[in-house]
Amino acid sequence: MKSKKVKNEAVVSTTQLTKMQQLLRDKWLYFLLIPGALYFILFKYLPMWGVLIAFQDYSPFRGFWESEWVGAEHFLNFFQNPDFFRLLRNTLILALYDLVFFFPAPIIVALLLNELRRQYFKRTIQTLVYVPHFMSWVIIASITYIFLTTSGGAINAAVEFFTGEKINFLSNPDYFRPMIIAQVIWKETGWGTVIFLAALASVSAEQYEAAIMDGAGRFRRMWHVTLPALRSTIVILLILRLGNFLDQGFQQIFLMTNSLNRSVADVFDTYVYFVGITQGMFSYSTAVGLFKAIVGIILIYGADYLAKKMGQTGLF
């Protein structure tokens, strides 16, 4: 019995020594993790404690610990506020537009790029569609203004040439949502194709050869070989997308909002800014942001559950 215990202790010590040796051997790889880990700790995890002020009547003068606790009062005030349903409607409509029109765009572009056979032409197109992603929303808004303004805008000049009238795209509420989605599609579609093209690179050429032997044309090969190869990637990205369903991006909406289209332009992100920063209602705006986060978590887990029920690969 003693000999067995000695042997077991020796095995344990050897295993621990081996792990330590592996740690020392790969120390520089772990060292490279430090900047990323510090980023998430400092800017993602530590700020989570700040959501507690959503349950306080927070005052910067009294501080975090001495402010009065009010429970769910700010949430109740937000739900009873007449602006709630207007904000919810505007945010949901933009989110649905984004899901219906933007989400499939990178998939379609990736499928089209995958069909190109000349590599030089393919890389040129890829570069051209990637470039808008690296532009800031300030530049995108400026380009939009230059093209759509009634004072010499290129598109409005063309409209006036053919119809004799100008269209106020920037101030008319009816054009705000299509304009926002068009900006997102132009800016982010090319960048979104990166993941799908990477997934397509792993598709075996033998599958295409077998489909050709069966007499399948290009469309059939795309439908029965290429799209099934992207299925798990599409499901995972859709789940992640639903997590940001209510997050329409503050900067883009803020830059394109004016006094004439505010009725359809106000969303939760801009509301948090106007109420929290300009009016100093820190606790109330934090409650609004926390409401968004809770809805996002529910959507992620709900979509993951449905994906697994339908036989697809989930996120968790």
Side-chain angles (χ1 to χ4, degrees):
M1 293 294 292
K2 290 183 179 180
S3 61
K4 288 184 179 179
K5 288 183 179 179
V6 172
K7 288 181 180 179
N8 290 334
E9 291 175 358
V11 170
V12 171
S13 62
T14 304
T15 305
Q16 291 176 346
L17 183 61
T18 303
K19 290 181 179 179
M20 182 59 67
Q21 288 176 344
Q22 291 176 353
L23 182 63
L24 292 174
R25 183 193 62 189
D26 301 329
K27 60 181 180 297
W28 295 113
L29 294 177
Y30 290 105
F31 182 78
L32 292 174
L33 288 174
I34 294 177
L38 287 176
Y39 168 79
F40 280 99
I41 292 172
L42 293 176
F43 298 104
K44 300 296 182 180
Y45 289 100
L46 287 180
M48 286 183 183
W49 293 103
V51 302
L52 293 177
I53 69 174
F55 305 95
Q56 295 179 323
D57 185 13
Y58 177 74
S59 170
F61 301 101
R62 286 182 291 176
F64 184 79
W65 301 110
E66 296 182 5
S67 296
E68 181 184 357
W69 290 86
V70 295
E73 179 181 334
H74 298 299
F75 293 93
L76 295 175
N77 291 337
F78 176 56
F79 296 144
Q80 295 171 0
N81 193 319
D83 291 331
F84 172 73
F85 289 104
R86 179 174 62 88
L87 295 169
L88 184 63
R89 182 183 68 251
N90 292 342
T91 306
L92 287 179
I93 291 175
L94 279 175
L96 289 173
Y97 278 17
D98 183 89
L99 201 62
V100 172
F101 296 106
F102 169 67
F103 184 77
I107 303 172
I108 296 171
V109 174
L111 292 174
L112 294 175
L113 289 173
N114 189 60
E115 294 298 316
L116 296 178
R117 293 294 173 259
R118 296 189 178 182
Q119 291 298 316
Y120 175 78
F121 186 64
K122 180 178 179 180
R123 290 171 183 171
T124 302
I125 297 297
Q126 282 181 281
T127 303
L128 291 176
V129 297
Y130 287 169
V131 168
H133 170 76
F134 300 99
M135 298 182 184
S136 69
W137 280 115
V138 176
I139 297 175
I140 302 297
S142 301
I143 294 173
T144 304
Y145 178 82
I146 291 171
F147 274 95
L148 298 181
T149 181
T150 55
S151 303
I155 294 178
N156 249 314
V159 171
E160 185 181 17
F161 177 80
F162 287 106
T163 64
E165 298 179 356
K166 293 182 179 181
I167 300 176
N168 198 346
F169 293 102
L170 298 174
S171 300
N172 192 332
D174 295 335
Y175 294 103
F176 178 79
R177 289 163 182 152
M179 182 172 58
I180 291 297
I181 299 303
Q183 287 180 335
V184 174
I185 291 174
W186 182 67
K187 186 177 188 295
E188 300 295 345
T189 296
W191 187 251
T193 61
V194 174
I195 296 177
F196 295 109
L197 288 174
L200 290 176
S202 63
V203 180
S204 174
E206 295 178 356
Q207 297 184 31
Y208 290 107
E209 294 172 0
I212 293 172
M213 293 295 293
D214 290 337
R218 278 200 168 189
F219 181 77
R220 286 286 184 180
R221 295 199 298 270
M222 183 187 297
W223 185 261
H224 293 288
V225 178
T226 309
L227 276 177
L230 292 176
R231 186 180 299 147
S232 60
T233 305
I234 293 173
V235 171
I236 291 174
L237 290 179
L238 179 60
I239 294 172
L240 294 174
R241 192 73 183 176
L242 288 175
N244 296 323
F245 192 70
L246 297 182
D247 186 5
Q248 293 305 307
F250 163 77
Q251 192 174 6
Q252 180 194 13
I253 304 295
F254 179 76
L255 290 170
M256 300 307 300
T257 301
N258 53 60
S259 58
L260 297 177
N261 62 19
R262 191 175 297 278
S263 59
V264 297
D266 275 342
V267 293
F268 289 124
D269 296 304
T270 55
Y271 185 72
V272 167
Y273 168 77
F274 287 120
V275 173
I277 303 299
T278 63
Q279 299 181 22
M281 300 172 64
F282 301 110
S283 295
Y284 181 79
S285 60
T286 303
V288 177
L290 185 57
F291 165 75
K292 272 182 50 187
I294 293 172
V295 172
I297 292 173
I298 293 172
L299 288 174
I300 283 182
Y301 279 96
D304 183 77
Y305 175 80
L306 291 176
K308 290 178 179 178
K309 283 292 184 181
M310 296 171 64
Q312 301 298 321
T313 302
L315 186 62
F316 304 104

